Amino acid sequence: MDFLCVEGGKRLQGSINISGAKNAALPLIALSLLSKEQVTLHNLPNVVDIKTFFLLLKMLGCEVEFLDTHTTTLRIPKIHNTKATYDIVRKMRASILVLGPLLGRFRYCEVSLPGGCAIGARPVDLHIKALEKMGAKIHIQGGYIVAEAKEGLKGAVINFDKITVTGSENILMAAAMAKGKTKIINLAKEPEVIQLCEVLKASGIEIKGIGSDEVEIYGSGGEALELPSNIYVIPDRIEAGTYLCAGAITNSQITLHQVNPSHLGAIISKLEEIGFKLTFNQDSITIYPTSKFYPFEVSTAEYPGFPTDMQAQFMALATQCEGASIIQERLFENRFMHVSELQRMGASISLHGNMATINGGHELLGADVMATDLRASSALVLAALVAKGKTNIHRIYHLDRGYEKLEEKFSKLGTKIIRDKE
Ligand code: UD1
């Protein structure tokens, strides 16, 4: 197993490019299951989750051709299998994204139930209820969601009780295949969901209300779609946010290219509140050093609120703010696994339910720490950047799931970081 060794205490400088968004690429790859012709996806991040998802598509019968590390062509000559096996789904929960497209187009599928994960129970009941409302017969057998729609899916009114990102994406794709109109109320508004809506529209699906929490979709009645032959994945706002936190925690000036600043509103506002100045171009952001780090309060929320995927990174940053910062996690019940690791580095953090109070301004010390999930792992890298001495971060396979070339990018910014074997 690999681990990372980070030497703390150095200021960063320079610039890096941000990769394509994993969470935008995954639904677009799933969408290709609905395509008549071949589709080429560009600006894919070269990360493990994307490779895992391609493996699943291959198992279903897709032809996957890697043109380079960021560009892949997908063809669906004949799907010989509509089963997403436990083996793949347990590695990556987002595999659930094949449920809507497979059922919509092929009228039958089996998808392993994802089960819980490090950050919480993460049920998929809302995906299932919505598909049932569209006429699917669904039962659970041997740990699999077995879904059938003999006559094809039918348009319906779906009112999500809770905002769910992959749930919204699944139902958008199912609705594109359904017969008639589907109205989705309380749809997620994340940029990744909006990109999916826009690609559906460019594929000839009539879809009204893009960008709002209520959309109407007129499905094809099961006909395969004419997807655009080239699709460009939007930049990763969470990777960008993580590197902005790296600039902030080390009080450095760094520039990120290939970003969309308009997707980073809540993150940028919070950094400004802490005391940082940032400047923007159309596709780049620069963060500058500040004279004082002010403590802050934040609650995670659905987009355009503050992303839960940035909560751990801001907790690392809070350890350097002078005074008490408060972070409330509203989306996932167990997303504080990084707290005990940050405490091992000397952070003063107390937990009360879903609320963490961080008494910042103390020096962190390098230690051996363990990554527990994707974003918690990046928070440990951030803490290591300012810790005194060396920090060894173990179990970094979590980081490899979602951060492309992490040590290369940090090295380019001047960090002493090496990957080694245990
Ligand atoms: C997606 C993102 C993930 C991010 C999360 C929240 C992808 C691949 N992953 O995950 O990085 O942290 O959004 O922004 O895009 N819920 C239910 N029933 C359901 C579905 C969800 O109760 O059927 C609950 C979840 O347990 C959670 C909340 O709804 O408390 C939001 O989860 P959801 O938006 O579905 O997260 P994901 O789509 O899995």
Side-chain angles (χ1 to χ4, degrees), residues 22-24 26-27 49 92-97 117 119-129 160-169 188 190 192-193 237-238 301-303 306-310 329-333 335 374-375 401:
K22 165 179 86 70
N23 288 355
L26 293 169
D49 271 9
M92 193 187 64
R93 295 182 46 81
S95 310
I96 192 73
L97 281 168
C117 72
I119 64 173
R122 299 185 81 175
V124 288
D125 56 318
L126 302 173
H127 304 228
I128 293 174
K129 268 191 214 156
F160 280 120
D161 292 343
K162 236 187 201 178
I163 297 177
T164 158
V165 175
T166 49
S168 295
E169 291 162 348
E190 270 67 4
E192 296 78 20
V193 178
R237 65 196 165 97
I238 304 300
E302 297 83 5
Y303 191 87
F306 184 87
T308 172
D309 284 353
M310 285 301 303
E329 172 54 58
R330 286 183 49 259
L331 267 72
F332 295 112
E333 67 275 17
R335 206 168 198 179
L374 175 56
R375 306 303 170 185
R401 288 185 45 203

Side-chain angles (χ1 to χ4, degrees), residues 58 60-63 75-81 105-106:
K58 274 186 182 171
L60 299 173
C62 291
E63 286 176 7
R75 267 180 298 274
I76 323 284
K78 192 169 171 12
I79 289 290
H80 51 68
N81 180 5
R105 183 162 176 195
F106 305 103

Side-chain angles (χ1 to χ4, degrees), residues 69-114:
T69 46
H70 300 107
T71 318
T72 303
T73 292
L74 289 155
R75 267 180 298 274
I76 323 284
K78 192 169 171 12
I79 289 290
H80 51 68
N81 180 5
T82 57
K83 183 168 179 170
T85 59
Y86 175 66
D87 239 25
I88 297 269
V89 180
R90 78 183 164 86
K91 285 191 193 132
M92 193 187 64
R93 295 182 46 81
S95 310
I96 192 73
L97 281 168
V98 297
L99 178 63
L102 285 179
L103 182 61
R105 183 162 176 195
F106 305 103
R107 300 185 175 190
Y108 177 86
C109 68
E110 293 173 43
V111 178
S112 173
L113 268 172

Side-chain angles (χ1 to χ4, degrees), residues 30-72:
L31 179 66
S32 65
L33 286 166
L34 305 184
S35 182
K36 259 187 205 150
E37 306 289 343
Q38 75 169 39
V39 181
T40 304
L41 290 161
H42 302 261
N43 199 32
L44 289 164
N46 185 13
V47 296
V48 170
D49 271 9
I50 297 295
K51 290 178 192 152
T52 306
F53 208 41
F54 279 134
L55 193 65
L56 171 58
L57 262 79
K58 274 186 182 171
M59 285 165 73
L60 299 173
C62 291
E63 286 176 7
V64 181
E65 190 186 343
F66 298 94
L67 303 184
D68 62 46
T69 46
H70 300 107
T71 318
T72 303

Side-chain angles (χ1 to χ4, degrees), residues 44 59 62 91 114 154 156 190 245 274 283 286 288 358 365 371:
L44 289 164
M59 285 165 73
C62 291
K91 285 191 193 132
K154 295 181 193 69
E190 270 67 4
C245 283
I274 297 171
D283 66 352
T286 300
Y288 300 89
I358 304 102
L365 300 171

Side-chain angles (χ1 to χ4, degrees), residues 9 13-14 53 109 146 171 214 225 228 230 241 292 325 335 345 378 402:
Q13 58 175 7
F53 208 41
C109 68
V146 181
I171 301 313
E214 206 170 300
L225 305 183
N230 291 290
K292 183 171 176 193
S325 296
R335 206 168 198 179
M345 298 175 76
S378 63

